[in-house]
Amino acid sequence: MLALDPLLLGDLDLGDVLVVLLKVVVVFVIGLVATMLMVWFERKTISGMQNRIGPNKAGPWGLLQTLADGTKLFFKEDLIPERSDRFVFKLAPYLSFVPAFLVWAVIPLGGDFTGDKQGIVTWFGRETRVQLADPQMGVLLLLALSSIAVYGIMLAGWASGSKYPLLGSVRASAQMVSYEAALGMSIGAVLLLAGTLSTSGIVDSQDGITNWHLVSTGVLPFVIFLIAATAELNRPPFDLVEAEQELVGGFNTEYSSIRFALFFLAEFMNTITMSAVIVTLFFGGPQPLTIDIGGLQWDGDLYLGPLNGTIWFFLKLLVFLYVYVWFRATLPRLRYDQLMNLGWKLLIPASLAWFMLLAAFKLGQDQGWNRVVVGAVGLTVIGVGVALLSAAIKVSARNREREGAMF
Amino acid sequence: MSAVILAADDIQVAQNIGFGIIAAIMVIGALKVVTSKNVVHAALSLVLVLSGAAAQYILLGAEFVAVSQILVYVGAVMVLFLFGVMLTRAKLGKETDLDQPKAWLGVPVALLMLGVLAWVLIDGFQDERLPADATSKAAVEISDSVLGPALVPFLALTFVLVAAVIGGIVLARKD
């Protein structure tokens, strides 16, 4: 029972500690191997979309290409620019790498969520979860880690002591701070329906495809989350942070060798963990996909015993990893003002409006109000809000036009 | 003597040692904030102090407060602060014009704050002790008390934030 507890309160014996240590090692290894394969997957998929072959020399189908690149980076000379702030320059890669790793801790990677089991499995006679830790405020921890990740990029650019990295990091911090609001507010809709902050609790509440809340969170909050997460990851089409044509290499221009490798690792690991978060919040994590249409019934059992949940989780994860690669291969980069307009004038108001509407419906359900009336009043209020917002945007746009550009 | 106190039955040794280490880091960080010759280094020291406070909350079993501390202060306030510094005056190396000639005025203010906060804590909790096996409160309980008995102070705090936002708009915009 103890290994359930993230704070390890109460009486400990050696076995509990060993279970936790085993989980730490497993999560660490999975994280690194998954990142290695992700880099390969991305290069291979993009080359397929661009009618090229891609990496095919190192290992079967080029699978070991990332390993080769990593080894090469280890043996490169580690340069520190003369005008840099040495301490912060060395600190920054770890600030972006450690939060990327910590996100794995709260993601349910498997387990049996059928019936009343709530994802609890028994390992070596001890009840635990296939999840490093299950704190009560797991989702808040995700948000906190994604906001800490800003530091790595911001300080890397500043400490480099040259212009392009500084510009890249100023762009990055503005972008990540802006989209964090939309990210948090779209998660709010999920939390409202799940009624819990714990990630395993959220997965548990999405029992089967009918409980995925496809209408209430599957459309608007999911799309907003996907866009905001892409911006948060600084991936195309929101990769203004390292826009090669404008900023050489962005915030990591001055980095080389192992420090560059850490940034690279963090970037790809963040892509995987963000996809895992999407699967956890919106698509039931390790819950199997059950089919029950007419006479056709399938309970999602893949005949893999205890690995069933994990395989389902990775299958769902793969879909989103592919989506991110697909984005990168097809979408052109946004202009900076388009990026800010999308974030502040569309995503944040839209997620706020949807959250308020859901809250109204939830309150109406508790109080026994008429659904139609609640919906009509809610939509009217949203309509007034949209009208006010667009009026304000129009006024400020007109004023800006009259005064001319400020910069 | 102190070892005897630590070994007493109802005192949690590990927690006390943890508290001591984190508190020492926080004090050093706080001194660094005011003595550092570089604005960004000072801000980073402040991040250290705020994270230390979050670690202390974890030791008290208040996970929710700890994560909120990280989310709000480390993740939002300090990021915006550093962002502002970077846009305006983010020199590398030492700066000479950071020291105020009237810096000593900060000492009585700091002592006054220490006195007020200590008095509030001691007067508010008297001899009450946290039970040794305290588990963290559910977020539901916290939100119930924020939107219930503590609603008025909570709303007062939100007014401060609204005022800050309006002030920001007034400063930033000409129209």
Side-chain angles (χ1 to χ4, degrees):
Chain A
M1 195 61 206
L2 188 79
L4 288 176
D5 194 344
L7 288 176
L8 293 173
L9 291 171
D11 293 323
L12 283 170
D13 69 3
L14 187 66
D16 296 318
V17 178
L18 283 180
V19 167
V20 173
L21 280 181
L22 176 77
K23 288 203 280 188
V24 171
V25 172
V26 167
V27 165
F28 192 78
V29 170
I30 288 181
L32 281 179
V33 172
T35 309
M36 196 184 108
L37 292 179
M38 174 66 195
V39 177
W40 171 81
F41 175 71
E42 175 147 0
R43 292 178 67 174
K44 208 67 181 168
T45 313
I46 286 190
S47 57
M49 288 178 184
Q50 295 172 343
N51 222 352
R52 303 183 279 119
I53 295 171
N56 66 345
K57 293 284 184 259
W61 309 291
L63 262 174
L64 299 176
Q65 185 63 45
T66 321
L67 203 64
D69 289 347
T71 320
K72 183 195 76 176
L73 277 173
F74 266 103
F75 290 112
K76 288 255 177 177
E77 187 187 355
D78 180 22
L79 292 166
I80 298 182
E82 199 183 332
R83 288 192 53 215
S84 67
D85 186 316
R86 294 180 78 90
F87 174 70
V88 181
F89 189 82
K90 288 177 185 166
L91 179 74
Y94 297 97
L95 281 181
S96 87
F97 171 70
V98 172
F101 244 119
L102 285 180
V103 175
W104 283 103
V106 290
I107 291 171
L109 296 172
D112 191 359
F113 283 87
T114 52
D116 299 331
K117 288 177 203 145
Q118 302 184 329
I120 294 175
V121 293
T122 310
W123 287 354
F124 310 114
R126 287 175 173 80
E127 286 193 333
T128 183
R129 291 180 195 280
V130 192
Q131 179 179 0
L132 187 51
D134 180 32
Q136 287 176 359
M137 37 2 107
V139 175
L140 286 185
L141 198 71
L142 291 177
L143 288 174
L145 287 173
S146 94
S147 58
I148 290 178
V150 184
Y151 279 96
I153 293 177
M154 193 154 77
L155 292 174
W158 175 78
S160 295
S162 66
K163 292 288 179 236
Y164 286 128
L166 184 67
L167 281 175
S169 68
V170 167
R171 280 183 181 190
S173 28
Q175 174 180 333
M176 290 168 92
V177 168
S178 307
Y179 278 81
E180 240 158 53
L183 197 75
M185 240 161 331
S186 54
I187 290 182
V190 178
L191 298 182
L192 195 69
L193 292 171
T196 172
L197 283 171
S198 122
T199 42
S200 66
I202 290 171
V203 168
D204 196 40
S205 78
Q206 298 172 345
D207 191 13
I209 194 163
T210 45
N211 283 331
W212 282 2
H213 310 297
L214 282 180
V215 179
S216 46
T217 70
V219 185
L220 198 74
F222 166 66
V223 170
I224 291 174
F225 189 90
L226 189 66
I227 296 173
T230 316
E232 197 71 14
L233 293 169
N234 298 320
R235 278 184 67 91
F238 301 103
D239 60 339
L240 294 102
V241 177
E242 39 194 311
E244 293 87 354
Q245 298 90 331
E246 305 155 24
L247 294 178
V248 190
F251 68 94
N252 56 18
T253 305
E254 303 288 351
Y255 280 87
S256 57
S257 183
I258 184 71
R259 296 185 216 286
F260 175 78
L262 284 180
F263 274 122
F264 194 72
L265 195 64
E267 196 182 316
F268 278 87
M269 191 174 290
N270 273 328
T271 311
I272 303 175
T273 46
M274 211 38 123
S275 310
V277 171
I278 292 177
V279 169
T280 304
L281 291 178
F282 297 97
F283 296 97
Q287 300 254 30
L289 191 67
T290 50
I291 296 173
D292 187 7
I293 313 163
L296 195 65
Q297 275 192 350
W298 187 47
D299 60 355
D301 193 357
L302 298 170
Y303 304 104
L304 287 162
L307 277 179
N308 205 29
T310 313
I311 296 299
W312 270 114
F313 176 78
F314 278 103
L315 283 178
K316 292 175 187 171
L317 185 66
L318 262 182
V319 173
F320 286 99
L321 292 180
Y322 184 78
V323 166
Y324 275 122
V325 176
W326 197 6
F327 277 178
R328 173 164 170 187
T330 45
L331 295 173
R333 184 181 300 140
L334 265 75
R335 226 172 43 222
Y336 201 73
D337 60 321
Q338 291 171 332
L339 172 90
M340 284 298 162
N341 281 347
L342 178 69
W344 287 100
K345 293 177 186 167
L346 185 66
L347 292 189
I348 293 178
S351 52
L352 183 66
W354 192 257
F355 179 76
M356 298 305 268
L357 193 66
L358 278 186
F361 271 115
K362 186 108 176 155
L363 184 68
Q365 211 175 25
D366 291 348
Q367 306 276 341
W369 294 340
N370 189 340
R371 277 178 161 224
V372 181
V373 177
V374 172
V377 172
L379 286 178
T380 319
V381 172
I382 289 175
V384 172
V386 169
L388 281 176
L389 182 70
S390 50
I393 290 173
K394 236 177 236 160
V395 167
S396 69
R398 207 173 48 226
N399 283 352
R400 242 197 332 269
E401 225 163 70
R402 203 182 54 214
E403 290 169 12
M406 276 173 68
F407 297 103
Chain B
M1 183 65 203
S2 60
V4 178
I5 295 174
L6 280 178
D9 259 357
D10 58 337
I11 292 180
Q12 292 170 313
V13 181
Q15 275 86 339
N16 272 325
I17 294 173
F19 175 85
I21 294 173
I22 299 167
I25 294 174
M26 284 174 73
V27 170
I28 295 170
L31 287 175
K32 278 268 196 187
V33 175
V34 284
T35 55
S36 176
K37 291 281 182 217
N38 183 304
V39 189
V40 175
H41 284 185
L44 284 180
S45 309
L46 191 51
V47 169
L48 192 68
V49 177
L50 295 168
S51 320
Q56 302 285 30
Y57 291 138
I58 293 261
L59 270 187
L60 291 171
E63 289 170 47
F64 182 78
V65 186
V67 176
S68 308
Q69 166 93 5
I70 295 277
L71 198 59
V72 173
Y73 287 99
V74 179
V77 174
M78 288 313 293
V79 166
L80 285 180
F81 194 85
L82 274 174
F83 184 58
V85 168
M86 242 176 229
L87 275 182
T88 51
R89 49 175 299 168
K91 276 190 213 149
L92 290 159
K94 289 180 181 171
E95 293 187 48
T96 46
D97 54 342
L98 283 182
D99 284 326
Q100 271 281 336
K102 284 176 185 157
W104 57 270
L105 271 176
V107 177
V109 173
L111 286 176
L112 187 72
M113 284 301 288
L114 177 70
V116 169
L117 287 177
W119 180 72
V120 165
L121 282 179
I122 293 169
D123 188 60
F125 291 97
Q126 308 280 8
D127 301 337
E128 236 175 282
R129 294 192 62 174
L130 201 66
D133 56 345
T135 48
S136 52
K137 281 231 168 27
V140 176
E141 284 176 58
I142 295 171
S143 64
D144 275 349
S145 67
V146 163
L147 295 175
L151 185 62
V152 175
F154 180 66
L155 280 182
L157 278 180
T158 57
F159 270 116
V160 175
L161 287 180
V162 170
V165 168
I166 294 175
I169 293 172
V170 169
L171 282 178
R173 294 209 75 99
K174 285 185 285 177
D175 45 44

